[in-house]
């Protein structure tokens, strides 16, 4: 399997990517995890979010012996979303329960007494679960939106009474955290997490989603500039084969972000 090509999205840009992409794999479950480590205190603005995706991939390959980074998606304290292992590829999230799942890693340690989730991070986690439910015709219920904590080490679910009474003990991780939207029990998810997802689905269902064009970079390296012209500074470079979303065009330039001034020369897209 080729290694994942990472991409960092704003929530709105990821929504556009999801809406405009066809996936071949059947998805019946959304897994929610926390990284535990790295956590909020690990982050250094000079390193950037891409650094942590590469770091996690290296750890997963060299320490765990996996073929690539484990998760399909990563959420960050900034509210951004990282596309990691392709959604069409089965994740390495919950051993024995991955075949029809999407794995979300929420960067942080959300056990009680540790990281206090930022508001943008909280909003993105709810938003991401909601748009995945919408895309794959799922509902925020305990059978379809799950916590790692609810499964034993073979991928079998613990009895609900065991999870709700905190009798899992050291048989499994606390993931996604003992203070994740309340606690990591099924009762807490149904009271504190699922209603937020359901409300977000209702909001998004009533909103108009603008249609965009998805194109592929056809040159070895394409500069992303802060405006439609070579006089604008280069923000970053994207490589050949990268899929981008085009929101608007002007003259010979294409805007590839819905929330920031990011422009590329249109001739290098096809």
């Amino acid at each position: 399997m080729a290694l994942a090509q990472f991409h960092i999205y704003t929530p709105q840009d990821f929504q556009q990517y999801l809406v405009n992409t066809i996936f071949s794999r059947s998805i019946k479950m959304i897994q929610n995890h926390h990284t535990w480590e790295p956590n909020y205190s690990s982050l250094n603005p000079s390193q950037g979010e891409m650094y942590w995706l590469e770091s996690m991939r290296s750890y997963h390959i060299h320490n765990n012996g996996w073929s690539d980074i484990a998760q399909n998606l990563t959420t960050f304290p900034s509210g951004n979303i990282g596309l990691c292992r392709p959604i069409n590829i089965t994740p390495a999230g919950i051993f024995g329960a991955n075949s029809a799942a999407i794995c979300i890693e929420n960067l942080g340690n959300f056990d009680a007494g540790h990281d206090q989730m930022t508001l943008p991070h909280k909003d993105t986690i709810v938003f991401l679960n909601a748009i995945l439910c919408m895309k794959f015709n799922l509902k925020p219920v305990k059978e379809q939106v799950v916590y790692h904590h609810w499964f034993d080490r073979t991928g079998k679910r613990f009895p609900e009474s065991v999870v709700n009474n905190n009798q899992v003990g050291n048989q499994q991780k606390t993931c996604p955290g003992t203070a994740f939207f309340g606690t990591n029990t099924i009762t807490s998810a149904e009271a504190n997490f699922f209603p937020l997802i359901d409300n977000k689905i209702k909001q998004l269902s009533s909103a108009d989603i603008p249609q965009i064009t998805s194109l592929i970079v056809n040159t070895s390296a394409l500069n992303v500039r802060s405006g439609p012209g070579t006089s604008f500074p280069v923000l970053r470079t994207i490589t050949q084969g990268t899929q981008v979303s085009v929101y608007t065009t002007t003259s010979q330039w294409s805007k590839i972000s819905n929330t920031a001034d990011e422009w590329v020369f249109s001739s290098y897209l096809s």
Side-chain angles (χ1 to χ4, degrees), residues 25 27 29-31 72-73 87 91 100-104 132 136:
R25 190 164 66 95
I27 303 298
M29 177 192 296
I30 302 167
Q31 301 174 1
N72 301 112
L73 300 164
I87 290 175
I102 286 181
C103 174
I104 302 172
L132 289 172
F136 297 107

Side-chain angles (χ1 to χ4, degrees), residues 50-61:
M50 194 68 77
Y51 168 86
W52 287 107
L53 298 183
E54 294 289 359
S55 178
M56 283 187 276
R57 168 157 60 192
S58 178
Y59 184 90
H60 291 169
I61 292 174

Side-chain angles (χ1 to χ4, degrees), residues 22 27 59 83 94 98 109 117 127 138 151 159 172 192 196 210 216 246 255 259:
I22 298 173
I27 303 298
Y59 184 90
L83 178 61
I94 301 173
N98 290 314
N109 179 356
M117 193 180 290
F127 176 86
L138 303 176
F151 294 78
Q172 188 51 278
N192 303 309
L196 295 177
I216 302 295
V246 175
K255 189 171 185 285
T259 57

Side-chain angles (χ1 to χ4, degrees), residues 44 78 140-141 157 166-167 237:
N44 183 331
S78 66
V141 294
R157 287 175 180 261
N166 292 310
Q167 295 173 339
T237 301

